[in-house]
């Protein structure tokens, strides 16, 4: 190998080292107690035409809950791989898994940043106290309405009064702790008129409030106010070098929009994370994403319909 090739090989190696993910989303369960019509973001083209929505019930992969055995294996690999941040959610309601507070506690003991996104319906007083004792870094409530009528349309199966009460309890339980409690409001055509009401309610219960830009799974839900619409970033996607995801069964996927297992790269119960990250399938996926302009026909299907990168 001549000198120029050696330099090129070293540069490639350094680039890989610098762009190795330090963040994961970890699915404690893909079961959910709600059935939101815009749930399966990333499958909008496929499901919207066929069913008129992207509800959770349309997920085709097997439903399940992460066991302690699987978590122990994941935890071990996260430390070896160098992960710094873990979000205990993916597809499903994380607190339907009663082990979620235990997962959070163990990850915090490893020095990880730990966050969790929740619809807020599954909390019990016992669980609130347990998660408050762990003192994780972030709890984000996804609440898309400020009235029973509007919330019920967007968060099908839930009650606004219940989630509001739980947000207040969680906020009170974390008073004086470092945990940041947030209310994420997704403005849609049917609820954008309630944004300021929601902001006011959040202030009353000492919860940080923000609006998240809508990624258009359904054109009929697009908010009138353009400020509430999500803006695209220019491809090629950089997220695949920053984050990867684990399903409840240990499957590893490269993208948070892969909600139904289109691009499973391996399973953590069979291979270590370093091997999965460097295997031929994952390398090809990253190459096809990076070189989509040169060879658009090779771009992964989940990337062709992406609502974040365009």
């Amino acid at each position: 190998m001549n000198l120029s090739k050696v330099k090129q090989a070293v540069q490639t190696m350094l680039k890989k080292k610098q762009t190795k993910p330090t963040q994961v989303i970890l699915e404690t369960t893909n079961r959910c107690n709600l059935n939101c019509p815009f749930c399966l973001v990333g499958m909008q083209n496929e499901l919207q035409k066929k069913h008129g929505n992207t509800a959770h019930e349309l997920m085709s992969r097997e439903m399940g809950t992460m066991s302690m055995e699987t978590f122990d294996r994941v935890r071990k690999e996260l430390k070896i791989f160098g992960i710094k941040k873990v979000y205990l959610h993916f597809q499903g309601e994380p607190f339907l898994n009663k082990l979620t507070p235990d997962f959070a506690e163990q990850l915090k003991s490893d020095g990880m940043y730990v966050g969790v996104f929740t619809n807020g319906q599954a909390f019990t007083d016992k669980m609130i106290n347990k998660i408050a004792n762990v003192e994780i870094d972030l709890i984000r409530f996804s609440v898309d309405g400020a009235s029973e009528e509007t919330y019920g349309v967007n968060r099908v199966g839930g009650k606004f009064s219940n989630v509001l009460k739980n947000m207040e309890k969680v906020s009170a339980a974390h008073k004086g702790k470092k945990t940041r409690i947030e209310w994420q409001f997704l403005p849609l055509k049917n609820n954008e008129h309630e944004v300021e009401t929601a902001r006011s309610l959040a202030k009353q219960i000492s919860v940080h409030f923000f609006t998240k830009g809508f990624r258009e799974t359904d054109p009929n839900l697009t908010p009138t106010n353009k400020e509430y619409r999500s803006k695209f970033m220019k491809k090629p996607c950089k997220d695949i070098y920053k984050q990867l995801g684990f399903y409840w069964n240990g499957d590893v996927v490269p993208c948070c929009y892969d909600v139904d297992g289109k691009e499973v790269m391996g399973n953590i119960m069979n291979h270590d994370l370093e091997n999965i990250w460097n295997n031929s399938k994952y390398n090809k996926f990253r190459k096809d994403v990076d070189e989509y302009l040169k060879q658009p026909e090779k771009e992964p299907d989940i990337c062709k319909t992406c609502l974040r990168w365009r």
Side-chain angles (χ1 to χ4, degrees):
M1 186 181 285
N2 61 38
L3 187 60
S4 62
K5 286 185 178 180
V6 170
K7 285 182 178 179
Q8 188 177 5
V10 170
Q11 286 173 351
T12 301
M13 184 177 69
L14 289 173
K15 183 182 178 184
K16 283 184 178 181
K17 188 176 181 180
Q18 290 166 356
T19 54
K20 192 168 139 180
T22 58
Q23 176 176 304
V24 303
I25 44 175
L26 196 160
E27 184 179 79
T28 69
T29 181
N30 64 338
R31 294 190 172 101
C32 196
N33 47 356
L34 302 184
N35 195 39
C36 310
F38 46 81
C39 177
L40 302 183
V41 177
M43 294 186 67
Q44 69 283 352
N45 286 21
E46 181 181 337
L47 298 179
Q48 192 67 34
K49 292 176 184 176
K50 203 181 289 186
H51 304 280
N53 63 72
T54 57
H56 185 272
E57 65 183 3
L58 299 174
M59 185 185 299
S60 63
R61 66 183 168 96
E62 183 182 1
M63 296 290 174
T65 300
M66 182 169 281
S67 66
M68 186 57 78
E69 179 189 9
T70 302
F71 173 77
D72 286 343
R73 171 69 176 173
V74 172
R75 180 190 177 195
K76 175 185 174 184
E77 289 298 320
L78 296 184
K79 288 189 284 185
I80 295 170
F81 195 76
I83 296 298
K84 306 297 182 187
K85 283 188 177 183
V86 182
Y87 290 96
L88 292 172
H89 57 262
F90 199 156
Q91 213 59 36
E93 168 49 44
F95 288 105
L96 290 181
N97 186 339
K98 293 180 181 179
L99 293 174
T100 293
D102 298 316
F103 295 166
E105 184 175 25
Q106 292 186 45
L107 291 167
K108 283 304 297 177
S109 73
D110 292 336
M112 305 278 190
Y113 174 101
V114 179
V116 61
F117 298 178
T118 173
N119 62 42
Q121 295 288 338
F123 279 108
T124 61
D125 289 346
K126 183 179 179 181
M127 186 174 283
I128 289 172
N129 291 331
K130 192 170 184 179
I131 201 71
N133 288 335
V134 175
E135 198 170 350
I136 65 174
D137 299 272
L138 172 67
I139 300 174
R140 179 177 295 172
F141 289 84
S142 298
V143 184
D144 308 315
S147 66
E148 290 293 355
E149 182 182 7
T150 304
Y151 179 84
V153 170
N154 296 324
R155 295 283 168 178
V156 176
K159 290 186 178 181
F160 179 68
S161 57
N162 189 44
V163 71
L164 187 63
K165 176 183 68 178
N166 284 340
M167 279 196 290
E168 186 171 15
K169 285 183 176 181
V170 170
S171 178
H174 285 81
K175 189 174 182 180
K177 297 181 183 290
K178 68 177 183 180
T179 307
R180 181 179 174 88
I181 314 296
E182 295 181 343
W183 175 343
Q184 174 188 285
F185 190 108
L186 184 65
L188 306 165
K189 193 172 185 179
N190 62 28
N191 70 6
E192 58 187 316
H193 63 287
E194 293 184 345
V195 168
E196 294 310 315
T197 300
R199 194 188 306 275
S200 177
L201 287 170
K203 188 175 181 180
Q204 290 174 36
I205 60 176
S206 302
V207 171
H208 298 277
F209 179 87
F210 73 99
T211 58
K212 180 184 178 183
F214 177 60
R215 301 193 186 283
E216 194 176 287
T217 53
D218 181 354
N220 296 318
L221 294 174
T222 303
T224 305
N225 187 340
K226 292 181 180 180
E227 292 300 311
Y228 293 147
R229 300 176 192 174
S230 182
K231 295 175 177 61
F232 287 96
M233 290 183 285
K234 190 177 180 181
K235 287 183 177 181
C237 169
K238 297 176 183 64
D239 290 344
I240 58 171
Y241 292 99
K242 296 176 182 177
Q243 176 179 276
L244 52 81
F246 287 89
Y247 291 156
W248 63 269
N249 65 349
D251 281 346
V252 176
V253 290
C255 175
C256 62
Y257 281 175
D258 191 1
V259 296
D260 215 16
K262 305 293 185 184
E263 295 285 352
V264 175
M265 297 297 157
N267 188 284
I268 203 67
M269 303 304 283
N270 303 322
H271 304 280
D272 63 50
L273 189 52
E274 192 75 41
N275 283 339
I276 293 173
W277 173 252
N278 289 310
N279 71 24
S280 58
K281 185 174 182 181
Y282 218 146
N283 278 322
K284 183 180 184 303
F285 178 86
R286 290 193 293 270
K287 183 181 179 183
D288 290 343
V289 170
D290 291 341
E291 298 181 355
Y292 84 100
L293 276 176
K294 294 179 182 176
Q295 301 182 79
E297 72 283 357
K298 289 187 177 182
E299 186 181 27
D301 287 343
I302 62 169
C303 302
K304 290 175 181 175
T305 60
C306 184
L307 293 172
R308 182 172 167 84
W309 296 85
R310 179 167 291 181

